[in-house]
Every structure is written in C-alpha cells, then in structure tokens.
Amino acid sequence: MVLVGRVRGRLARSSGRWVSFLLAAIVVTGCTSSAAEGGPSSPATTSSEPPKPVLLALSVSDDEEDVEPGQPVTVRAEYGAITKASLIGKHGTHVKDDLRSDGTFWTTTEPLGYGKTYTLTVEAKGEDGKTVTEESTFTTATPDRTVAVSINVWDDETVGVGMPLIFTFTGPVPDRDAAEDAITITADPETEGDFRWFGDSQVIWRPKEYWEPGTEVTIDAEIYGKDFGEGTFGAEDKTVSFTVGDKLVAVADGKSHKLTVSINDKKVKTMPISMGKPSTPTPKGIYTVMSEHNWYTMDSGTYGVPADSPGGYRLDVEYAVRLSNSGIFYHSAPWSLGDQGRTNVSHGCINLSTENAAWLMNKSNRGDLFEVRNSGGPELDPTDGWSVWQLSWEEWRSQ
C-alpha cells in the first residue's frame, strides 16, 4: 500500500504541471479546448464492490443419511459471520458445540449417536447487513457391526526404546486407511514412523529408528463412529500416554555364552548364560521385551510338547521375561548354573542365575531390546511377538 500511494502521488503532481502548461498555452493562443476534443479529463474515481451476502458451507445436507457419527458437523461462513448455530437431536438433545470468535467457523465438539436424527440450524449475517438462516436435517449411520481396539501400551507407563505400538481390533477392518486415519500418535520430540498391518485385525506402528529416551507420547485412537467399510464402525475411543525410558540393550552371544547389557550405549554388566542346545536352538535376531513375571510356570505343553513326554517340562521359575510368542524367555535357571558361561543346554530360552535374572528384570522395561547372536538357530520371525526390528525400514513400509 505504501508503494501504491507513492506512485499515485507522482502521477498527480505530473498531471498538475501538464495542466498549468496547457492553460498558459491557451492564454497565448486565445484558443479554447474541451475534453471531447482531446483535452484532459478529471481523474477517474475507483468504485468499490458492493457488500456481499453471506455464504454458508454446511458439512451435512438436508435429508442426508448414513452420516458418520464420529465426524464433527461443521459450518463455514464467507462474506459474513455466523451469529447463532445449534444441532438438536430428534428428542431435544443439544449437541455440544463451539463457535470461532470471528464467526467464520462452527463445529460440534462431541460425537453423535448411531442411527439418530438431528437438525442443524444456522443463522448468519452478511457484509450486506442481511441475516440468513439455513437448516439441515440428517440421520447418522446404523452399523452392521462395531469393532473395539486394544493398545499394547499402558497409560503412564515407562517403556523401552524398541516399543512398537500395536492396535488390535476385535474383528476384521475392511478399510485399513480409515482405521489408520482414526489413530493419531503425537511424540515430543517429533518421531517419524509408519503403520504395517499383520492380518485383517491388527496394525502396528513403529518408529523409523529406536525411540529417543525421554520422548513423551500420546496415542489418540478416535475410532468411535468412524466408518471402516462394509458396514463396520468403531465402537469406542482410546487414549494412552506414556514415556520412553533409558535405552537398554541386552546382547546374548551363543559362542561366548555371555550376556552384555548396555544402558544409554554404555556397557554396565556382563553375565554368564546358557542358550538353546543344538536340538532346540534359540532363534537369532532382535527381540523386544513383551512382559515380566514372578514365579512363572514354564510348560512345554503350551507349545505342543506334553510335559510328561521326552523333551517335555513343567517347572516354576522365580523370574521370567517373555521375548516371543513362541516361548522364548530369559529367566532364572539355578539348575543350569554349572553350564552358564560354558555351554548351551536349554530348550531355547536364555538361562541366567537367579541373582542376574533379578537384576536384569529390575532394570528392564517392556519395549527394551534383546538381541541374540551366534546361537546356531534360525532367523527370528518378525511376526513372533514384538519382533518388529527384524524388518528394515524399507521392508516395514513395503506392504
């Protein structure tokens, strides 16, 4: 605007000088002139556009059906402001709402019910000073079925840097993109990550790299009322907040028969171990701590080998930490003290002394990393437990 003003000022002064010169010429010559004959005319005036009527954009139309109850109902105003708006249920229920201070945007702030009829009424005033009223009556969807979701992280939990975020639905989800869109993961500091589906009812989100210690994370699984396709809708929202603790990594080596524990990349303890014997070797790879137990019953029958059969077992251990769904634990094993640090004799688990198992379990959190090397076993299956770090970032996103 400043530049435009200056340009206009220069033009006005130039016109004034030109007019003075012309008048002098008229006096000298005694001739007359008019605008129609090519003389100068008066400066043009700029006309402004007339005030406009308000335009309203409603997110729902009149007589619309199958509206998603989990999506907010909104109204936007252009060339004016919303002065009053409400959403009322068929039986008089007033839905909570919020109107932006400048009157340009209105929204509901709570979800709607399934299979309900609502009337939206909006009053707005335009730039032209005229008030308009619009009304829309619509019906929300009635689901054929609903699915709930569970999350593997607890509220206020401190987890390890390898923790994957696992969302398990109670039934198949036809529209995977819609389910992912309903889940918001907020991390401070910001953390890059992505989803990967394991079957039709479970999706896992993991960071590109290990979480940074101290990261604060909030999960908002706002699935209620969201359309997941083929008549399937979300049943209930879930919110969880957690903190990432120290970076604890335990590395078990089948050749040296030792377990080395590092915390925040500093080695803090080395202890003797015994892993799976040649007939039952421990799968090699990067495990993630899943759960911790005191006085846990180790039963080969849960993995298809009866306890009373050759190679079977059933015994109680004081400290046991699950590393896979297939039955790999690290646990206290006082019966194998003579073999720990020397040879591998277990059925696949990592045997520790009672004191060392207690120490490690006390230091560890769910989501910590446990790597097995030189075990002579097969590669750990990425779908066995929380073994998501068995896949590279490119493999993770290739689905």
Side-chain angles (χ1 to χ4, degrees):
M1 293 300 293
V2 173
L3 280 175
V4 171
R6 289 176 178 173
V7 171
R8 285 179 176 170
R10 287 196 293 270
L11 288 174
R13 287 192 294 272
S14 298
S15 296
R17 289 194 296 270
W18 186 83
V19 169
S20 297
F21 174 79
L22 181 60
L23 287 174
I26 292 172
V27 172
V28 172
T29 61
C31 299
T32 60
S33 176
S34 69
E37 295 172 341
S41 61
S42 60
T45 57
T46 303
S47 60
S48 60
E49 293 184 5
K52 296 180 179 180
V54 66
L55 294 179
L56 295 176
L58 282 59
S59 65
V60 289
S61 57
D62 198 33
D63 296 327
E64 186 174 351
E65 298 179 346
D66 295 327
V67 172
E68 287 186 68
Q71 298 288 2
V73 176
T74 63
V75 182
R76 295 183 183 275
E78 190 174 3
Y79 309 123
I82 301 165
T83 55
K84 185 167 55 176
S86 63
L87 184 65
I88 308 296
K90 184 177 181 180
H91 300 292
T93 304
H94 189 122
V95 179
K96 294 179 182 178
D97 58 47
D98 182 66
L99 176 61
R100 188 177 291 171
S101 59
D102 63 3
T104 60
F105 182 75
W106 175 94
T107 182
T108 54
T109 57
E110 65 176 328
L112 309 182
Y114 281 119
K116 304 293 184 182
T117 299
Y118 296 88
T119 297
L120 172 63
T121 305
V122 186
E123 184 180 282
K125 189 175 183 179
E127 294 175 351
D128 59 358
K130 296 181 180 179
T131 297
V132 300
T133 301
E134 288 197 26
E135 190 173 276
S136 176
T137 298
F138 62 91
T139 304
T140 57
T142 299
D144 293 334
R145 68 185 182 99
T146 60
V147 291
V149 67
S150 60
I151 307 173
N152 68 319
V153 185
W154 309 323
D155 204 30
D156 296 325
E157 183 179 9
T158 298
V159 306
V161 298
M163 176 63 85
L165 308 181
I166 304 175
F167 303 88
T168 304
F169 293 87
T170 54
V173 177
D175 189 340
R176 295 180 175 185
D177 289 339
E180 292 178 19
D181 289 343
I183 299 170
T184 302
I185 298 164
T186 307
D188 183 17
E190 188 173 338
T191 304
E192 182 181 358
D194 206 351
F195 291 100
R196 184 181 178 89
W197 286 81
F198 290 81
D200 293 330
S201 59
Q202 187 179 84
V203 62
I204 301 178
W205 189 97
R206 56 153 270 200
K208 179 180 180 180
E209 300 174 344
Y210 298 147
W211 294 100
E212 182 179 330
T215 300
E216 300 286 342
V217 185
T218 297
I219 302 170
D220 291 306
E222 297 178 331
I223 70 166
Y224 171 78
K226 301 298 173 61
D227 186 353
F228 294 153
E230 299 179 9
T232 301
F233 284 76
E236 183 181 13
D237 293 345
K238 288 284 182 70
T239 298
V240 174
S241 295
F242 64 92
T243 303
V244 180
D246 290 331
K247 180 183 180 181
L248 188 150
V249 179
V251 179
D253 192 305
K255 287 186 176 180
S256 66
H257 309 294
K258 291 181 180 179
L259 179 71
T260 302
V261 180
S262 298
I263 299 178
N264 296 327
D265 299 319
K266 181 181 179 181
K267 292 182 181 180
V268 295
K269 193 175 181 67
T270 299
M271 55 193 79
I273 59 170
S274 179
M275 293 203 296
K277 56 191 174 184
S279 60
T280 54
T282 308
K284 59 187 176 184
I286 303 174
Y287 297 77
T288 306
V289 171
M290 300 174 64
S291 59
E292 300 176 340
H293 309 270
N294 290 106
W295 293 113
Y296 187 82
T297 301
M298 311 292 292
D299 187 348
S300 63
T302 60
Y303 307 107
V305 181
D308 57 358
S309 67
Y313 57 89
R314 181 182 176 85
L315 48 90
D316 295 330
V317 297
E318 189 171 354
Y319 302 100
V321 174
R322 179 180 288 277
L323 300 176
S324 78
N325 286 333
S326 61
I328 303 300
F329 288 72
Y330 76 74
H331 61 81
S332 54
W335 59 86
S336 68
L337 279 176
D339 296 303
Q340 292 171 25
R342 294 181 175 84
T343 186
N344 295 323
V345 298
S346 82
H347 291 87
C349 291
I350 293 87
N351 287 183
L352 293 161
S353 70
T354 299
E355 293 75 16
N356 285 334
W359 180 89
L360 183 53
M361 186 167 145
N362 182 60
K363 292 286 185 182
S364 181
N365 292 311
R366 296 192 319 138
D368 283 335
L369 300 162
F370 197 105
E371 184 176 357
V372 172
R373 300 174 181 172
N374 303 315
S375 65
E379 283 289 333
L380 173 63
D381 190 328
T383 65
D384 189 359
W386 298 354
S387 306
V388 299
W389 300 102
Q390 282 294 95
L391 295 176
S392 68
W393 182 239
E394 290 72 23
E395 291 170 328
W396 183 263
R397 303 190 70 193
S398 64
Q399 188 181 64

